[in-house]
Amino acid sequence: MSYDLAGKRVWVAGHRGLVGSSLVRRLAAEDCILLTPDRTQLDLQSSAAVEQWIAEHKPQAIFLAAAKVGGILANNLQRADFLYQNLRIELNVIHAAFAHGVEKLLFLGSSCIYPRDATQPIAEEALLTGPLEQTNEPYALAKIAGVKLCECYRQQYGCDFISAMPTNLYGPNDNFHPKHAHVPAALMSRFHDAKIKGLPEVAVWGTGTPRREFLFVDDLADACVFLMKNYSGPIATNVGTGEDVTIRSFAEMIRSTTGYEGELVFDASYPDGTLRKVLDVSRLTKLGWKAKTDLRDGLARTYDWYCNNYERLRAV
Ligand code: GDP
């Protein structure tokens, strides 16, 4: 009952992003034909363009990793854009996959779609059992719709569409914007700049007390390929390490990764967001998959990549 990717035409939607680029690296080890149209070849916001592209290129499997993403501030400020653009991408790709008989599709959800006050660690069953965190409610609503689209096309039409629910991610090709990025890349770029400029202190947003779980993106890509091959069902499977750290100790880890020697200053005028977010990964563990990369190793690999791409990123 496993799904074989060998010889298949596999589309990674969003192949330039954090998750998509990691999927492309991971899929190079599978004997499949990768399809990676860029923005000039395919506008994912256009239903007609997506329909036409799928009809022409006939992907057999799709990893739907394309999304408008951002950290707590971007999510909170660009609320309409996060809801509208993500809904459009999901509706266009998932419906066209159904209409053109795509064999299997994996949709990337997100752990922020669980209720703000969900019992920790968060099990898959917590979905839609309570109100969402306000700062990223529009993004979460769009991602919930994507998960439900996969579930409903499975129920009504028997489509083999599945979802994965990754925890907070970090790794190469992340968005390193100091204001709009998620906490790992935002802090990495801020500490790096402070080191270069010799600044005495670096601001860390919020109180430092919230707890988060962090997964190296190459582990997520490996889990997605594992699920694509080995899982078929309606439940959006959590993907994480099952372990969390405080933002304060995470910031300390990034400080030592970057070699910055100044002070950390917590700026409580920025929001903390959810106080704790860690996934229950027992379902995925039972299926036979576990995260491999230690947090400090993953941060060191990410920092290497960041330093090697620093000039290019600054020029964008
Ligand atoms: P979240 O997990 O959806 O809340 O997303 P983020 O990755 O944006 O934020 C995680 C936590 O890190 C929050 O408590 C933020 O307040 C905190 N944080 C500390 N410094 C930063 C920063 O420079 N950027 C971001 N995005 N978050 C930060």
Side-chain angles (χ1 to χ4, degrees), residues 239-296:
V239 186
T241 63
E243 288 168 18
D244 58 349
V245 292
T246 64
I247 293 298
R248 177 185 290 273
S249 62
F250 185 65
E252 288 288 357
M253 273 184 217
I254 298 192
R255 167 162 69 173
S256 78
T257 303
T258 58
Y260 173 68
E261 288 176 350
E263 297 294 317
L264 304 188
V265 178
F266 289 89
D267 183 349
S269 67
Y270 282 97
D272 271 340
T274 301
L275 280 186
R276 187 172 182 218
K277 205 175 6 162
V278 60
L279 294 180
D280 177 344
V281 292
S282 52
R283 184 178 290 271
L284 185 56
T285 311
K286 276 191 207 117
L287 285 172
W289 189 91
K290 258 181 83 178
K292 294 182 217 40
T293 311
D294 170 75
L295 183 51
R296 286 176 197 274

Side-chain angles (χ1 to χ4, degrees), residues 83-234:
L83 182 56
Y84 180 69
Q85 292 181 23
N86 285 312
L87 280 174
R88 279 183 83 170
I89 293 170
E90 294 159 9
L91 287 168
N92 292 344
V93 176
I94 294 170
H95 181 75
F98 150 68
H100 293 276
V102 168
E103 294 167 9
K104 191 144 189 180
L105 178 147
L106 182 143
F107 172 70
L108 266 300
S110 161
S111 61
C112 73
I113 81 180
Y114 287 119
R116 181 190 164 100
D117 301 321
T119 307
Q120 308 282 332
I122 311 171
E124 285 86 350
E125 291 72 22
L127 189 62
L128 289 172
T129 56
L132 299 166
E133 155 64 28
Q134 271 305 305
T135 48
N136 56 20
E137 188 186 75
Y139 178 77
L141 283 171
K143 286 288 178 183
I144 291 172
V147 167
K148 287 292 167 188
L149 276 170
C150 290
E151 191 183 313
C152 293
Y153 277 98
R154 168 178 294 277
Q155 287 166 337
Q156 188 176 347
Y157 296 111
C159 299
D160 196 355
F161 295 172
I162 61 173
S163 300
M165 211 77 99
T167 192
N168 290 33
L169 300 169
Y170 67 96
N173 285 310
D174 203 350
N175 165 10
F176 283 83
H177 192 283
K179 274 210 145 56
H180 295 147
H182 283 105
V183 63
L187 289 185
M188 205 170 268
S189 72
R190 210 172 299 142
F191 279 120
H192 182 78
D193 279 355
K195 183 175 81 170
I196 290 174
K197 292 178 187 149
L199 302 179
E201 57 183 45
V202 162
V204 179
W205 296 356
T207 59
T209 52
R211 301 183 70 90
R212 292 288 185 278
E213 172 190 19
F214 296 99
L215 180 71
F216 187 53
V217 71
D218 287 1
D219 282 0
L220 172 68
D222 191 57
C224 289
V225 171
F226 175 86
L227 287 168
M228 184 65 115
K229 288 179 174 177
N230 297 297
Y231 179 71
S232 176

